[in-house]
Amino acid sequence: MIANLVTVKIKPEFIDLFLEVTLNNHKNSRLEAGNIRFDVLRSNDDPFHFTLYEVFADKQAIEYHKTTEHYKKWAEAMEKCMAEPRTKISNTPVAFD
């Protein structure tokens, strides 16, 4: 199992577009066979800072995810929505419910 923490800082003028494509990506990612969890979190301190908590069964599931139309649409929109480059930390769950 692989858990990714992706952080994204969004330009204020693109918040509506970000939410639209991110919620679509969330909904469709949850339908993927290799997706175990996909949470979209919004900072309480900064309404333009988001964390995506993604859990996939394995590397193949992540690679498949990157081929989907919903992910490609999300990634394309992020090019104009992001105020700074996104970050990603990949993790192996030790204790997971």
Side-chain angles (χ1 to χ4, degrees):
M1 205 171 359
I2 300 168
N4 291 325
L5 292 171
V6 179
T7 60
V8 186
K9 178 82 172 190
I10 301 302
K11 296 175 188 172
E13 63 270 25
F14 289 110
I15 195 71
D16 291 338
L17 175 60
F18 169 79
L19 289 170
E20 177 186 334
V21 297
T22 299
L23 294 176
N24 181 64
N25 188 36
H26 158 78
K27 178 181 77 174
N28 287 290
S29 296
R30 291 298 294 131
L31 299 174
E32 296 171 27
N35 181 263
I36 296 167
R37 187 174 192 109
F38 196 109
D39 297 331
V40 179
L41 310 170
R42 190 176 202 170
S43 171
N44 290 333
D45 299 322
D46 179 352
F48 304 106
H49 186 251
F50 293 82
T51 301
L52 308 180
Y53 178 60
E54 313 167 343
V55 181
F56 291 93
D58 50 32
K59 288 182 182 180
Q60 291 80 10
I62 294 171
E63 290 306 314
Y64 171 76
H65 173 67
K66 292 178 181 178
T67 70
T68 63
E69 288 305 311
H70 54 272
Y71 173 80
K72 289 178 184 178
K73 184 176 180 180
W74 181 85
E76 181 180 338
M78 289 309 98
E79 294 301 317
K80 64 179 167 184
C81 290
M82 292 187 303
E84 56 193 50
R86 67 182 183 255
T87 65
K88 180 179 91 171
I89 301 172
S90 290
N91 305 272
T92 299
V94 176
F96 181 82
D97 289 326

